[in-house]
Each structure stands twice: as structure tokens, then as C-alpha cells.
Amino acid sequence: NLPAPNGNRPLHYAVQQESADLALLLLKYKADPALPGENDEPVLYPALSSRAAAALIPALVKAGANPNQRWGSMPPVQAAMASHDWVAAKLLLELGADPKALTTYGKDAVYTYCSKITRSVRSRQTQGVVYEVGVLLKIPEFRPDCVADMERFR
């Protein structure tokens, strides 16, 4: 858990290198995912865009990473959506991320979702995940004006 001179810890390095095996090993030996890294970055943030997100995010949250801890202007679920990391957004919501948590600009996850889905989505697999995130956010209930866009990803 001791930081390097730049502030990153071994767990941060493992996550940044997309090494799920090493990160899981460090967590097994009590690496603390609640400890900040360089510039106070929570370890969850580099996991959002990782190719190993499906393994890293659940392990980090179950070990104590806060799925609502904001770093910069956005909570993790909005940061994932803003970067079109839909798998990460879905995982965070399933793991208890608060969709009502606000950005520093006062916007919640529903707003972020509706503003991001109008952009193109690369693959059919990703499209299904975009739709599932909309279901988790209860888009039809909270933003009926956004349902038509959401339905395109069904």
C-alpha cells in the first residue's frame, strides 16, 4: 500500500497496466483500493477504460473502492459514460453506483446518458450494453424525451 514518489501505489500500477491478475493478487494480499494514487486519483478511474474492466471494477468495488467517489468533475458512472465506456457504466450501476450523484455542473447520470447516446456506437455488442444502461437508469421513467434514442440500441 506504500506509494511511489509520484503517489501511485502498486494496485494503481496494476490497474493502469490492465493486469487484472496482478490487481486481484494485490487485493488478495490486502491492497487498499480506497487509497488515492497520483493527484488523488481513485484506483477505480483507470479501471473504467481498461480492457480488463469486467474483472477489475467488480473486484475493486467489492474490496472497498467507492463507486461514487468523484475525481475531477464527474462521479465514476458519468465519467465512464462520457468516455463511452458503457460496460464500465453498466458494471458500476449494477454494483451500486448512485445514478443521482451529480457532476460539479449539477448534472446526474440520466442527463449524461441522454447527452452521450446520440453519438455513434461502434459495435452491436456495445449497443446492447448502451440499452441496458438506459434500463438501469430508468430512462423511460425519468426522461421520456430520451426513450427514442435509447430504443435505437435495443
Side-chain angles (χ1 to χ4, degrees):
N1 285 322
L2 294 175
N6 69 358
N8 274 343
R9 299 167 195 283
L11 183 58
H12 285 79
Y13 286 117
V15 171
Q16 289 168 348
Q17 295 301 312
E18 300 181 342
S19 178
D21 290 340
L22 180 56
L24 294 173
L25 182 66
L26 289 167
L27 289 169
K28 179 180 175 182
Y29 287 99
K30 306 299 180 205
D32 187 349
L35 294 173
E38 184 176 13
N39 298 317
D40 291 327
E41 179 184 40
V43 72
L44 204 49
Y45 277 77
L48 300 178
S49 60
S50 171
R51 288 174 288 183
L56 290 170
I57 292 171
L60 292 169
V61 171
K62 288 175 185 165
N66 181 349
N68 297 306
Q69 183 179 1
R70 185 179 356 177
W71 183 64
S73 64
M74 295 183 172
V77 71
Q78 281 112 307
M81 287 189 283
S83 299
H84 300 273
D85 293 317
W86 296 103
V87 170
K90 180 178 182 257
L91 286 168
L92 288 165
L93 289 165
E94 290 172 341
L95 291 164
D98 182 2
K100 293 182 175 122
L102 302 176
T103 66
T104 55
Y105 307 107
K107 306 297 184 186
D108 65 7
V110 170
Y111 174 87
T112 304
Y113 177 87
C114 291
S115 69
K116 293 298 175 184
I117 62 168
T118 56
R119 306 242 163 98
S120 63
V121 175
R122 294 182 197 121
S123 72
R124 190 56 132 158
Q125 179 185 9
T126 303
Q127 288 183 354
V129 175
V130 172
Y131 179 81
E132 291 169 11
V133 169
V135 170
L136 289 168
L137 290 171
K138 300 179 182 174
I139 293 298
E141 181 179 336
F142 295 111
R143 284 287 303 273
D145 60 308
C146 186
V147 171
D149 287 329
M150 179 184 147
E151 287 294 329
R152 289 183 320 145
F153 298 105
R154 188 174 230 185

